[in-house]
Amino acid sequence: MTINGWIQILVFAGIIIALVKPLGGYLTRVLNGERTLLSVIFGPLERGLYRVAGTNEKEEQHWTTYALAMLLFNLAGFTVLYVVQRLQGGLPFNPQGLGAVEPTSAFNTAVSFMTNTNWQGYGGETTMSYLTQMAGLTVQNFVSAATGIAIAVALIRGFSRASGKTVGNFWVDLTRITLYVLLPICFVGSLVLVWQGVPQNLNPYTIATTVEGAQQTIAQGPVASQMMIKHLGTNGGGFFNVNAAHPFENPNAFTNLIHMVSIFAIGAALTNVFGRMVGSEKKGWAIFTAMGVLFLAGVAITYWAEAAGNPLLHSLGLEGGNMEGKETRFGILTSALFAVVTTAASCGAVISMHDSFMPLGGMIPIINMMLGEIIIGGVGAGFYGIILFVVVAIFVAGLMVGRTPEYLGKKIEAKEVKMAMLAVLCLPLSILGFTAIAVVLDTGVASMANAGPHGFSEVLYAYTSGTANNGSAFAGLSANTPWYNITIGLAMLMGRFMVIVPALAIAGSLAAKKTVPESSGTLPTTGPLFVGLLVGVILIVGGLTFFPALALGPIVEHFAMLAGQTF
């Protein structure tokens, strides 16, 4: 590790902190239906969309109606994307003549992009036509991100309202987030990426002759428009097979910084939205601080592990950090930082191969995902994820002092705690359950490129990534098989909707409650005591749940390497 490396980490953190308040203020105005600078442009379009859809923007929904609307919308998105993939061979904007996507792969991909996961068991440039990339994948990148933000805002309304029956209108929230937030930022950001050399065209792939006289196919297409939303919306799916390690997706250090900032921007700003809506920005900053503590700890461990290098190579006299699987133009620090950023959020974009990280360096991305990606997290998903842990933490604090727990003037009672634990426990149910089955079945083991603990880690990472709606992978696992396509698809569905529905149930329950004034016995939720409690609960719950699996994988592999063994 170097001082220069830590300066870069602190600069990145400073940029994110600087964005929290202004972006949070803008999001709050948009979500409250207030006038913004973009109202002149998008206001008429917004009202026109409501008229066409028959939606009354002033009519709000009960949490069950909100949830039903969200589920039906996602089902429609899944269906359209699946059909487009299966029919792409006969559809336009397919200059390479790519055929229909195999059924289980099409199912997996449709689920993946609908759930904001963007797990890809295929190579984008060799599988998906331009139409599928644009009208299928990119559209889902926008609406799945908007869905996550909408759910987070519905939960915030549950805390900010008293004696209410509604949590907002899903169709209105979806429309406003897309029109006023995602589209404008992505439009400007895509132009910047094109300026920096990211392709944006509909041309056939270029056939070039190398200096040795060989023929090389250079893939291109509508790349820039997908790159911006894949990071801003924490989707992560790459136009190319190697994702953001490809120079057409990520040409230089400047575009890499744009990608990383985009991944964290909205998720961080939602903590400020929360503070503004509940009437105390300090409460939002407390949650952001807890996220920051976990993030910096993860960066420190990953950077240290990768900078320390491989002890097996050191024993041969080869000194230096671990550069395996990393782009030389990014190096160890940037690769480690990006890996933590993309797994702290539910993005999954990569600029290096996580499968080639040192055992402890690769363990941190797994832990980030196992915790539910609540460290900034996916747009919306990270916030409603950490609020579930806030509910558990407040409940634990109430037990310790012997009084009914409360947060923001709302009593946290049995229903809220049960719903929170249902959402929290669905993650280990999916991750550990599917992993256990896969590593004892021949069809699961056959896809593993490595034996021993690293092979186990490959499978564990796959189901963790799917359940956490991340999408990154230990690429040594050949996951484009019927078994993994179907089971990882089911894991993605569980990780998305078995968290969203309980979160909305909590929102509806809290919105209906009266607000009680704070008393001398109320736990302060703006200071270091609360931050420490929240971080502690997150780590204890995560540790108790997942430590045995981590011990069988990266931890065993780490000590085996120190002993001079490899697998």
Side-chain angles (χ1 to χ4, degrees):
M1 295 192 289
T2 65
I3 294 177
N4 178 60
W6 277 105
I7 290 174
Q8 292 184 54
I9 293 170
L10 294 176
V11 167
F12 170 74
I15 293 172
I16 298 302
I17 293 170
L19 286 173
V20 168
K21 195 174 179 70
L23 185 54
Y26 177 73
L27 284 168
T28 303
R29 291 192 294 275
V30 169
L31 294 165
N32 285 338
E34 299 173 17
R35 188 173 180 82
T36 68
L37 291 174
L38 295 178
S39 296
V40 175
I41 301 173
F42 292 112
L45 177 58
E46 178 191 0
R47 293 187 290 272
L49 289 173
Y50 295 152
R51 284 195 295 270
V52 171
T55 299
N56 182 356
E57 64 178 301
K58 299 186 183 300
E59 182 180 317
E60 294 201 345
Q61 299 168 324
H62 186 265
W63 80 264
T64 54
T65 307
Y66 198 102
L68 180 61
M70 178 274 300
L71 291 171
L72 291 176
F73 179 76
N74 278 266
L75 177 62
F78 164 82
T79 303
V80 170
L81 182 51
Y82 180 83
V83 170
V84 169
Q85 291 179 85
R86 297 291 293 137
L87 299 179
Q88 78 170 6
L91 297 175
F93 298 107
N94 187 8
Q96 300 308 118
L98 299 173
V101 179
E102 187 271 332
T104 64
S105 180
F107 164 78
N108 181 279
T109 303
V111 170
S112 179
F113 280 76
M114 179 261 290
T115 57
N116 197 245
T117 308
N118 288 33
W119 171 273
Q120 295 174 290
Y122 59 89
E125 68 270 43
T126 58
T127 306
M128 299 298 180
S129 69
Y130 291 166
L131 181 69
T132 304
Q133 294 270 20
M134 294 185 296
L137 307 186
T138 304
V139 167
Q140 283 303 308
N141 283 348
F142 276 94
V143 297
S144 66
T147 296
I149 299 172
I151 301 303
V153 174
L155 183 55
I156 292 172
R157 292 186 184 119
F159 283 103
S160 64
R161 296 179 176 182
S163 303
K165 297 181 179 180
T166 62
V167 294
N169 185 309
F170 174 74
W171 307 112
V172 173
D173 290 339
L174 183 78
T175 302
R176 287 175 177 166
I177 293 163
T178 304
L179 286 182
Y180 294 98
V181 180
L182 300 179
L183 277 173
I185 297 176
C186 287
F187 179 78
V188 175
S190 297
L191 293 179
V192 173
L193 294 181
V194 170
W195 166 49
Q196 289 295 304
V198 179
Q200 181 70 22
N201 60 56
L202 297 175
N203 299 332
Y205 295 173
T206 299
I207 306 298
T209 302
T210 68
V211 292
E212 293 88 359
Q215 296 293 305
Q216 179 181 1
T217 301
I218 301 176
Q220 56 191 308
V223 182
S225 56
Q226 185 167 321
M227 288 311 97
M228 197 60 209
I229 184 57
K230 92 164 189 178
H231 294 106
L232 182 70
T234 61
N235 302 279
F239 189 95
F240 300 101
N241 190 32
V242 295
N243 209 279
H246 197 292
F248 279 0
E249 286 199 16
N250 195 5
N252 53 54
F254 179 54
T255 58
N256 193 68
L257 179 62
I258 292 174
H259 293 334
M260 289 196 297
V261 170
S262 298
I263 291 170
F264 265 18
I266 293 178
L270 281 171
T271 62
N272 186 258
V273 174
F274 173 73
R276 290 172 184 268
M277 286 192 169
V278 301
S280 173
E281 290 188 42
K282 289 183 178 180
K283 297 187 186 298
W285 283 113
I287 293 175
F288 179 81
T289 301
M291 293 176 170
V293 169
L294 293 169
F295 169 69
L296 291 175
V299 171
I301 295 172
T302 305
Y303 184 23
W304 164 78
E306 297 306 300
N310 190 328
L312 297 176
L313 295 179
H314 293 171
S315 66
L316 300 175
L318 301 174
E319 299 298 328
N322 177 35
M323 276 298 295
E324 180 185 339
K326 297 176 178 66
E327 288 280 299
T328 54
R329 60 203 173 103
F330 295 133
I332 291 174
L333 175 274
T334 305
S335 298
L337 177 59
F338 199 105
V340 177
V341 167
T342 198
T343 52
S346 67
C347 184
V350 296
I351 64 169
S352 59
M353 296 300 104
H354 296 181
D355 197 29
S356 296
F357 275 33
M358 299 303 297
L360 297 186
M363 182 180 70
I364 295 302
I366 298 177
I367 291 175
N368 285 344
M369 294 184 290
M370 284 179 167
L371 295 178
E373 293 179 311
I374 43 77
I375 308 168
I376 303 300
V379 285
F383 183 80
Y384 61 70
I386 200 168
I387 287 296
L388 296 173
F389 278 105
V390 168
V391 170
V392 175
I394 294 295
F395 174 68
V396 170
L399 291 179
M400 289 192 292
V401 299
R403 58 177 288 142
T404 302
E406 60 183 64
Y407 185 56
L408 299 171
K410 299 294 182 73
K411 296 289 186 181
I412 304 299
E413 298 174 303
K415 179 178 181 179
E416 291 79 36
V417 176
K418 289 177 181 178
M419 289 296 103
M421 290 309 301
L422 173 63
V424 169
L425 293 177
C426 80
L427 299 179
L429 173 65
S430 173
I431 294 169
L432 302 180
F434 281 121
T435 299
I437 295 171
V439 296
V440 298
L441 293 180
D442 290 340
T443 187
V445 174
S447 294
M448 295 163 54
N450 298 275
H454 192 74
F456 176 81
S457 295
E458 290 175 348
V459 178
L460 178 66
Y461 194 111
Y463 288 112
T464 302
S465 179
T467 304
N469 299 144
N470 182 269
S472 63
F474 270 10
L477 182 73
S478 300
N480 194 9
T481 66
W483 165 259
Y484 281 108
N485 282 334
I486 293 172
T487 56
I488 293 176
L490 295 175
M492 290 186 281
L493 290 170
M494 290 176 65
R496 181 72 162 179
F497 299 110
M498 287 182 68
V499 175
I500 283 180
V501 174
L504 285 174
I506 292 173
S509 176
L510 292 174
K513 293 185 177 184
K514 295 180 180 179
T515 302
V516 297
E518 292 186 356
S519 66
S520 58
T522 301
L523 174 70
T525 53
T526 58
L529 177 63
F530 172 74
V531 171
L533 174 67
L534 179 56
V535 171
V537 167
I538 291 170
L539 293 179
I540 290 171
V541 171
L544 290 175
T545 307
F546 292 112
F547 180 77
L550 294 171
L552 290 174
I555 295 176
V556 168
E557 187 180 2
H558 170 71
F559 286 107
M561 273 193 167
L562 292 179
Q565 298 180 15
T566 186
F567 300 94

